[in-house]
Structures are given as C-alpha cells and as structure tokens.
Amino acid sequence: MQQGEIELQAFGPDHIEGAVALSRQENWPHRAQDWQMALQLSSGAVALDDQGRVTGTILVTPYGNDCAMINMVIVDRNVRGQGLGRRLMDQAIALAGDRPLRLVATADGEPLYEKLGFVPSGTILQHQGKVTELDAPDGVEAASIGDLPEIKALDRDAYGADREALIDALAERGHFAIIRRNGAIEAYAAIRPFGRGEVIGPVIAGSAEAAKDLISFFAAPRRGAFLRVDTDSRTGIDGWLTEIGLVHVGGGVAMDRPPKPGSEQARPKVYALANQALG
C-alpha cells in the first residue's frame, strides 16, 4: 500500500469501532468504553486506507493550557515503515498548539519521538493481575462529591497542570479514595472499569506508604479481581505491587517536549497512570 492512499481525518465517534480493532491487534485491552472516555477528553486523528479502514490513531489530551498528553498512538503493522507514525505525530503537535507535550513511549516509538524533540523524564511500569488477600488500611476513606474541588486542587499542584476534566470523567465512571490530615486532603487515588477489570490511577501521594494505603483501600475488598496499576519507577512501590499479585508486564519511557528552559515541568510525587490515565 502506498502512503498516498492513506488519508488522515479528525478522530470522531464513528472511528471507535475501528480503533478498538486496531488496539486489539496490538494486544491492548481497551474496550469501546475506554476509547470513548479517551475521545471525550481529547482531540485527535485517524488514518484511513482506501477502503475506509482505520490504520492509525493518535489522541491529544489537553490539560488546560499547561500541557497536553499524547495517547493511543497506534499504526497498523501492515503499513509501518511508510512514515505514517510521523504524519500522525505532526498532526498531534499541531493540535496541541503551544502546549508542552508529554507521552509514554514504547521501544518502537522512542526513536521517532526523540527526533521530534522529546526527551526522557522517567520510566513507567505497568502492573496487573489478580489481587491477593491483603488487609484494609487505616486512615483512608471514600471520597464524596464535595471532595472533588479539593482533589482537583491537589492534583493540579502535584501534576503541574489542570486536569479538572479528567477528574470529572473519572468521577462519572469510578470512585475516589482520600487520605485526610487535619481536615485537609493530602493524597488521593481513583479507580474505574478498564480493559479486563479495573485500573487504579491516578495516585497522588507524598510518600510510597501513602500510595500503598490508597491502592490497598481499593484492592483489599477485591481479592481475586483483575486490577491494573501503572507507576513511575521512582516511587519504589513496584516490588510491593508484585507481592499483592499485580505483576510487572511492561511499561514505557515517559517523555516531555520541550523542557522549559532553565526549569523542569512539575511532576507528581507519586503518579499512577492508566496509560496516562487513559490508556
């Protein structure tokens, strides 16, 4: 197939069925509902062949004007090596405007991202499996709707960007847990249906022990259930995740473009991603 036969279009709801098929080709667990959530929060592009089949996808999730996350970058195996990944990335960069960009790179994608000015900023470890028996933690409570403004403020401070729309989407689909000290929320986590079961993330906490407590709050009553947690390797909780039945199955390299001159973009103290909270 020649590259000229592939057309890029704006990603819309009509493309979700084709996107699900493409992600299944890569053994990604995303359901139509997972793609729908990602599209709700994002704009993006799809590549269509001359028969209208989806052969590539990319989404750009803006977090206010602070930054944007590039998600769901897939190119059909049958058309790789023809520059389609570069075309999709060029479209994503245009959609993001002047926002700094973040993504999580696979080994295959990392060389292209480096050429486009992305630099590594961390390592994301994906853990999943059927959770073992563990004790419910002390000091963690279920959040209420009234806690959402404080959760959003905490998330903004930790992540360095406004993810209000993401928090609202998670509240529509899942649940939040919080740790409160002296009347103020100092840590939180979310859980929602995803893929083969549920995903826990984001997790924003000031220590590894607080992160474990938040994850345990959701995992303890779900013995034998399939859970996924993605974490930055610097959090140091990956060994514990394996102990509770969530084994390391992969991950990627967190990358930023461009770094701010003379400074670094703010990053969470503990960041649990559902491929960037979406994939």
Side-chain angles (χ1 to χ4, degrees), residues 4 39 64 66 76 109 116 123 138 150 192 212 224 258 265-266 271 273:
L39 183 58
D66 301 307
D76 190 302
L116 293 171
T123 302
D138 296 325
E150 196 171 350
R192 66 178 173 93
K212 291 178 186 178
Q265 294 177 21
Y271 181 29
L273 212 58

Side-chain angles (χ1 to χ4, degrees), residues 107-193:
D108 289 341
E110 190 173 358
L112 170 61
Y113 305 141
E114 289 178 343
K115 290 179 182 177
L116 293 171
F118 287 82
V119 294
S121 60
T123 302
I124 302 301
L125 305 176
Q126 183 185 132
H127 285 257
Q128 65 184 34
K130 293 184 177 181
V131 67
T132 59
E133 183 176 2
L134 72 164
D135 295 330
D138 296 325
V140 183
E141 61 186 272
S144 69
I145 293 296
D147 292 319
L148 287 182
E150 196 171 350
I151 288 171
K152 291 174 182 178
L154 174 63
D155 186 83
R156 188 181 305 112
D157 289 343
Y159 189 71
D162 183 357
R163 299 200 294 180
E164 181 174 350
L166 171 63
I167 302 299
D168 287 338
L170 292 171
E172 291 174 7
R173 294 164 173 82
H175 306 281
F176 288 90
I178 57 174
I179 296 175
R180 202 187 308 266
R181 294 284 187 269
N182 299 319
I185 296 173
E186 67 173 25
Y188 89 87
I191 189 170
R192 66 178 173 93

Side-chain angles (χ1 to χ4, degrees), residues 1-73:
M1 178 180 295
Q2 298 299 314
Q3 187 68 91
E5 298 175 351
I6 297 177
E7 176 188 6
L8 296 190
Q9 291 187 7
F11 199 134
D14 291 346
H15 300 122
I16 287 178
E17 182 178 351
V20 171
L22 194 61
S23 56
R24 285 178 179 165
Q25 181 190 93
E26 295 302 305
N27 294 317
W28 291 12
H30 298 70
R31 310 163 301 153
Q33 299 94 319
D34 302 320
W35 276 98
Q36 287 162 358
M37 177 177 166
L39 183 58
Q40 172 188 332
L41 297 168
S42 312
S43 57
V46 292
L48 303 176
D49 67 14
D50 57 2
Q51 298 182 44
R53 290 185 296 238
V54 175
T55 58
T57 61
I58 198 163
L59 292 176
V60 181
T61 309
Y63 296 133
N65 293 318
D66 301 307
C67 72
M69 196 84 188
I70 295 180
N71 303 294
M72 313 305 286
V73 185

Side-chain angles (χ1 to χ4, degrees), residues 125 127 215 229-231 237-247:
L125 305 176
H127 285 257
I215 293 168
V229 177
D230 295 1
T231 182
I237 67 170
D238 49 302
W240 175 79
L241 289 170
T242 299
E243 290 175 5
I244 68 169
L246 309 185
V247 298

